Amino acid sequence: MQREHIKYVESHSDRLIQRLKENHEHKSTVLGKMSALEEEVVRILGGELEHSAVPNTEEE
């Protein structure tokens, strides 16, 4: 009975460790995607600011 319980506990521990690894990998992936998205937004907004700072001579 003791061996069965130890085997169960070790198996459960292994599953928890695997889930923790998956959690860290997912977090890293999401943070990378969020950073890339933030950079893209800054790039787009930066381009819009540059266009709005340049006087539009086409209307003249």
Side-chain angles (χ1 to χ4, degrees):
M1 184 169 161
Q2 182 181 6
R3 287 183 185 169
E4 291 174 9
H5 180 70
I6 290 173
K7 183 177 175 181
Y8 169 79
V9 170
E10 288 174 349
S11 175
H12 186 67
S13 177
D14 291 342
R15 288 191 304 272
L16 289 172
I17 290 168
Q18 181 61 33
R19 290 289 311 269
L20 186 58
K21 287 178 183 177
E22 291 170 2
N23 181 292
H24 286 293
E25 291 169 3
H26 178 72
K27 180 180 176 182
S28 178
T29 300
V30 168
L31 289 176
K33 288 180 180 181
M34 290 173 68
S35 179
L37 181 59
E38 183 178 4
E39 289 175 12
E40 181 71 8
V41 168
V42 168
R43 184 188 65 78
I44 290 170
L45 291 177
E48 288 181 4
L49 291 175
E50 288 176 9
H51 290 299
S52 66
V54 175
N56 189 352
T57 57
E58 293 177 9
E59 294 179 8
E60 295 177 6

